[in-house]
């Protein structure tokens, strides 16, 4: 069937797989399928007939939707003897395709138009149709025209359109690959800055525009972090905090402190991460939105890396207390990256427990709970990065208990993520699994060695390789 459809080249097959997964996510209202992809190594195992176990259930659903037959038939060995192979058998039982050339960063840059990629040229998902591309580009052009047409003052239409665009981006960020959003984020930030620098805004309009500029700068801070650039991330975060100050928005100040704690945590500075979380909690005051839960969870993770068990447990309890008294605020109303849902809290608690290392069985239980929560998450709660983090925490917990095969099973969905979703946090989480495997001399052979090799191949090409 792959030959009949001309899908025998990995890149072609991957695009069809992702488009089918996204379509199924919409039709079946199942956010777990959105963004699902297949690694080149997994494709070649399927295509070359080297399949020892069934794919994961969600992969089975996508394969069956692509080809219209059961996965057992798709992956059945080729029939021996002369004569044609039935259409529903030996789908992948042919020699693997020739490898697709991979450009080095310098070669990628040489292949770009003069001046590099333009922020005015949006990036789209594989499943986006030409009509959808035209509609999206026209909408962005209309946003800039509206801002220009209303002249030096900031009119209600401009402010409304910017608000809608920021809400779209905050909702999309946890679910979408960064290359599809980065151009839009840069353009919206540039527009808000221009209006604040040159527009004549009423005080109420200026406060709203500063809030929108702060949220956009916060997302660009997260984008810089996802590309592995903590210096640029902190610069954007400080800009976001200045915007929050100018908007006089207490919850936004606390949210930016949360973001700074996250950046410090993944940059390997847990003491600084704990300090930023404490600053955020002092700024939160009487705020009852989910940012308070996030701050407590960030504190727990930071103190677990510092080895402070008492502070970790206290922070976890503080997060539970904050959750019990949550009253969603205007930041939660933006959704997506601006809110902190229950599955994400479960993931942070599991990570803090696993990293603390005092109770391996409890860490495994909490990680399993977090993984299950993301499998059952609503569309508004789901985030591919946090789901990957929960999977790697489960792998770490199982390694601590000596269950290498169980760890490989837990981390498999992460290793199957496409390059577009291999952000800095996910790659760092995978590297923690690699370090745990390497750290125990008794686990240097067999399944552990194979898993280490897979992780090394996975981390060799992060998302940042696509942006250079």
């Amino acid at each position: 069937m792959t030959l009949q459809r001309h899908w025998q080249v990995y890149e072609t097959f991957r695009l069809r797989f992702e488009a089918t997964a996204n379509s199924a996510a919409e039709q079946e209202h199942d956010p777990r399928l959105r963004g699902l992809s297949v690694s080149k190594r997994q494709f070649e195992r399927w295509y070359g007939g080297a399949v020892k176990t069934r794919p994961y259930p969600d992969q089975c659903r996508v394969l069956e939707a692509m080809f219209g037959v059961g996965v057992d038939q798709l992956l059945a060995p080729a029939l021996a003897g002369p004569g044609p192979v039935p259409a529903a058998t030996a789908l992948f039982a042919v020699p693997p395709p020739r490898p697709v050339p991979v450009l080095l960063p310098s070669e990628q840059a040489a292949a770009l138009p003069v001046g590099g990629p333009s922020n005015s040229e949006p990036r789209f998902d594989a499943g986006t149709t030409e009509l959808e591309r035209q509609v999206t580009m026209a909408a962005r052009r209309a946003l800039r025209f509206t801002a220009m047409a209303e002249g030096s003052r900031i009119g209600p239409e401009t402010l409304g359109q910017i608000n809608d665009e920021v809400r779209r981006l905050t909702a999309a960020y946890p679910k979408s690959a960064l290359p599809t959003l980065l151009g839009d984020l840069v353009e919206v930030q540039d527009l808000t800055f221009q209006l604040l620098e040159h527009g004549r805004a009423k005080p109420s309009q200026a406060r709203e525009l500063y809030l929108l500029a702060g949220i956009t700068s916060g997302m660009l801070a997260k984008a810089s972090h996802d590309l592995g650039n903590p210096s640029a991330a902190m610069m954007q975060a400080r800009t976001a905090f200045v915007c929050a100050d100018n908007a006089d928005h207490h919850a936004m100040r606390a949210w930016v402190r949360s973001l700074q704690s996250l950046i410090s945590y993944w940059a390997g500075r847990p003491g600084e991460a704990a300090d930023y979380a404490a600053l955020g909690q002092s700024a939160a005051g009487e705020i009852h939105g989910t940012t308070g839960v996030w701050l407590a969870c960030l504190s727990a993770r930071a103190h677990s890396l510092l080895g402070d068990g008492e502070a970790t447990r206290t922070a976890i309890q503080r997060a539970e207390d904050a959750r019990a008294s949550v009253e969603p605020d205007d930041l939660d109303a933006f959704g997506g990256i601006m809110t902190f849902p229950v599955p994400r809290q479960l993931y942070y608690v599991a990570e803090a427990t696993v990293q603390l290392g005092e109770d391996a069985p409890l860490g495994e239980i909490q990680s399993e709970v977090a993984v299950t929560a993301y499998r059952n998450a609503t569309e508004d709660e789901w985030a591919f990065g946090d789901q990957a983090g929960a999977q790697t925490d489960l792998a770490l917990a199982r390694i601590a208990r000596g269950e290498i095969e169980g760890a490989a099973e837990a981390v498999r969905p992460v290793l199957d993520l496409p390059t577009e979703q291999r952000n800095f946090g996910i790659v760092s989480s995978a590297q923690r699994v690699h370090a745990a495997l390497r750290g125990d001399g008794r686990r240097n052979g067999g399944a552990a060695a194979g898993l280490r090799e897979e992780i090394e191949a996975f981390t060799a090409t992060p998302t940042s390789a696509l942006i250079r």
Side-chain angles (χ1 to χ4, degrees), residues 200-362:
R200 296 176 181 175
K202 298 176 182 178
S204 61
Q205 291 176 321
R207 282 195 296 272
E208 183 176 356
L209 198 54
Y210 269 117
L211 175 61
L212 295 172
I215 292 172
T216 307
S217 298
M219 284 191 282
L220 279 168
K222 181 64 164 60
S224 300
H225 158 73
D226 285 342
L227 293 174
N229 190 335
S231 177
M234 276 297 184
M235 188 178 299
Q236 291 281 5
R238 292 186 183 101
T239 299
F241 192 86
V242 169
C243 290
D245 248 356
N246 278 279
D248 195 22
H249 199 289
H250 297 304
M252 188 62 197
R253 291 187 185 101
W255 188 90
V256 176
R257 293 307 189 200
S258 301
L259 185 62
Q260 290 174 310
S261 177
L262 180 146
I263 294 166
S264 299
Y265 170 81
W266 287 108
R269 301 191 293 266
E272 183 179 288
D275 290 342
Y276 274 121
L279 279 174
Q281 289 166 331
S282 65
E286 297 301 316
I287 293 168
H288 296 294
T290 62
T291 298
V293 185
W294 190 17
L295 284 163
C297 288
L298 287 161
S299 179
R301 289 205 311 187
H303 283 107
S304 71
L305 273 185
L306 293 169
D308 190 335
E310 183 177 353
T312 300
R313 289 184 288 273
T314 298
I316 290 174
Q317 183 60 53
R318 191 185 308 123
E320 293 177 1
D321 295 341
R323 176 67 66 183
S325 61
V326 159
E327 296 176 8
D329 57 17
D330 57 340
L331 293 187
D332 291 310
F334 278 86
I337 196 173
M338 300 307 297
T339 192
F340 193 78
V342 171
R344 197 175 178 196
Q345 179 180 354
L346 295 172
Y347 152 51
Y348 274 54
V349 169
E351 183 151 295
T353 304
V354 170
Q355 287 180 158
L356 191 60
E358 294 180 351
D359 192 336
L362 177 60

Side-chain angles (χ1 to χ4, degrees), residues 70-216:
V71 73
D72 291 330
Q73 290 178 304
L74 291 175
L75 300 178
L79 298 181
V85 177
T89 54
L91 171 63
F92 299 103
V94 294
R98 289 176 297 174
V100 178
V102 177
L103 295 179
L104 298 172
S106 59
E107 296 170 324
Q108 292 172 355
L112 291 171
V114 175
S118 170
N119 286 331
S120 63
E121 296 289 339
R123 296 287 297 271
F124 296 92
D125 291 318
T128 305
T129 67
E130 182 58 31
L131 285 177
E132 290 171 330
R133 292 170 190 261
Q134 292 179 22
V135 167
T136 300
M137 294 180 72
R140 291 179 61 182
R141 178 69 181 89
L143 173 61
R144 282 205 165 271
F145 176 80
T146 302
M148 180 276 296
E150 289 188 330
S152 60
R153 64 187 177 86
I154 299 175
E157 297 303 323
T158 297
L159 203 54
Q161 282 188 297
I162 294 173
N163 195 303
D164 289 345
E165 181 67 356
V166 171
R167 288 178 185 276
R168 179 185 72 83
L169 291 168
T170 58
Y173 198 105
K175 299 187 282 288
S176 305
L178 181 57
T180 68
L181 300 176
L182 189 55
D184 291 0
L185 286 168
V186 171
E187 184 163 353
V188 173
Q189 184 195 52
D190 181 58
L191 181 57
T192 57
F193 285 177
Q194 286 185 35
L195 291 173
L196 285 167
E197 290 168 352
H198 306 298
R200 296 176 181 175
K202 298 176 182 178
S204 61
Q205 291 176 321
R207 282 195 296 272
E208 183 176 356
L209 198 54
Y210 269 117
L211 175 61
L212 295 172
I215 292 172
T216 307

